[in-house]
Amino acid sequence: MLVAAAVCPCPPLLVPEVAAGAAPELDAARAACAEALGVLAAARPDRLLVVGPGDSAGPEVHPQGARGSFRGFGVEVDVRLGHGHGAEPEPERTGGELPYGLAVGAWLLGRAAWSGVPVEGVGVGEDLPAERCAALGRDVAADAGRLAMLVMGDASACRTLKAPGYLDERAAPFDAEAGRALGAADLAALAAMDVVLARELKVSGRAPWQVLAGAAEGAELTGTLLYEDAPYGVGYVAATWS
């Protein structure tokens, strides 16, 4: 059963070495993510599932100990998903290198010194239909034990002229509703999120959020919005469900 969830943005710029001189601009976002992870720890889960944008429709499974890297951004920063119990993941079970969204999640967990609870990652992409996302969420929550989820994803990338997706007037209303739904743990609103519009607005969080909505069915969790901003023309949201 799902007992707690943390929703965090997943730009590699959260990693200070990647952001370099611009690192202070996301200090508030980092603080919100740290607070969200504290809520997960306080829930005393038996296992943690990190869900984030994948490189394919997925779901792509990444076991504890799977590796990620930010070397593609010119910095020598490597991460592993969870503490890995000191063991290397089996080659046939690695699921490949962590996509950047999950790598940011692994970095957040390392920063919080997360340990003692098994961790697994799942990547889901923009082509995974809403109903499949919900079904995946229900499946992972149906497993035995107390489940916590760290859900990585960004809102639209079209909030300003300099945004990655340029300016789209539909972006701000979309992000406002997404922030409201995540802050209120509104499962119906998240499940009904427009898949086509999300793709057009370059929303990386749509599929992960809909997995969360499926997992939270029947859990009666309450949401709290911790952070919402678009400092680089990309919508970032942090929230907790408990």
Side-chain angles (χ1 to χ4, degrees), residues 54-147:
D55 294 328
S56 66
E60 308 163 355
V61 177
H62 300 269
Q64 181 161 288
R67 296 182 179 276
S69 172
F70 297 97
R71 292 174 184 264
F73 295 92
V75 297
E76 294 185 0
V77 177
D78 300 308
V79 294
R80 292 181 65 182
L81 187 62
H83 56 80
H85 299 301
E88 293 292 327
E90 294 294 330
E92 66 271 17
R93 296 188 62 244
T94 62
E97 185 172 283
L98 294 172
Y100 285 122
L102 291 180
V104 173
W107 178 82
L108 288 173
L109 291 173
R111 185 170 180 254
W114 184 278
S115 64
V117 176
V119 180
E120 186 175 56
V122 175
V124 287
E126 65 177 15
D127 291 329
L128 193 66
E131 59 272 16
R132 289 279 308 282
C133 293
L136 174 61
R138 288 190 289 268
D139 286 346
V140 299
D143 290 343
R146 295 167 60 83
L147 170 69

Side-chain angles (χ1 to χ4, degrees), residues 2-242:
L2 182 67
V3 295
V7 177
C8 292
C10 64
L13 288 171
L14 275 182
V15 180
E17 292 87 344
V18 175
E25 296 177 12
L26 288 180
D27 279 348
R30 293 186 194 95
C33 292
E35 182 177 349
L37 287 175
V39 170
L40 294 188
R44 298 184 180 277
D46 298 317
R47 57 196 174 98
L48 173 66
L49 181 67
V50 185
V51 182
D55 294 328
S56 66
E60 308 163 355
V61 177
H62 300 269
Q64 181 161 288
R67 296 182 179 276
S69 172
F70 297 97
R71 292 174 184 264
F73 295 92
V75 297
E76 294 185 0
V77 177
D78 300 308
V79 294
R80 292 181 65 182
L81 187 62
H83 56 80
H85 299 301
E88 293 292 327
E90 294 294 330
E92 66 271 17
R93 296 188 62 244
T94 62
E97 185 172 283
L98 294 172
Y100 285 122
L102 291 180
V104 173
W107 178 82
L108 288 173
L109 291 173
R111 185 170 180 254
W114 184 278
S115 64
V117 176
V119 180
E120 186 175 56
V122 175
V124 287
E126 65 177 15
D127 291 329
L128 193 66
E131 59 272 16
R132 289 279 308 282
C133 293
L136 174 61
R138 288 190 289 268
D139 286 346
V140 299
D143 290 343
R146 295 167 60 83
L147 170 69
M149 293 177 65
L150 172 57
V151 183
M152 309 299 297
D154 298 335
S156 76
C158 303
R159 292 282 292 273
T160 67
L161 293 173
K162 294 184 178 180
Y166 197 65
L167 176 64
D168 191 313
E169 294 180 355
R170 301 171 297 174
F174 182 99
D175 289 359
E177 173 57 14
R180 185 206 65 77
L182 291 167
D186 188 335
L187 307 188
L190 292 171
M193 190 169 285
D194 189 323
V195 174
V196 174
L197 179 58
R199 181 185 297 111
E200 292 174 351
L201 295 177
K202 303 185 183 302
V203 177
S204 69
R206 188 276 305 171
W209 298 337
Q210 289 184 326
V211 173
L212 170 60
E217 290 179 9
E220 299 183 356
L221 301 181
T222 299
T224 301
L225 184 65
L226 302 178
Y227 175 87
E228 184 177 14
D229 202 356
Y232 303 109
V234 181
Y236 299 149
V237 178
T240 57
W241 293 15
S242 60

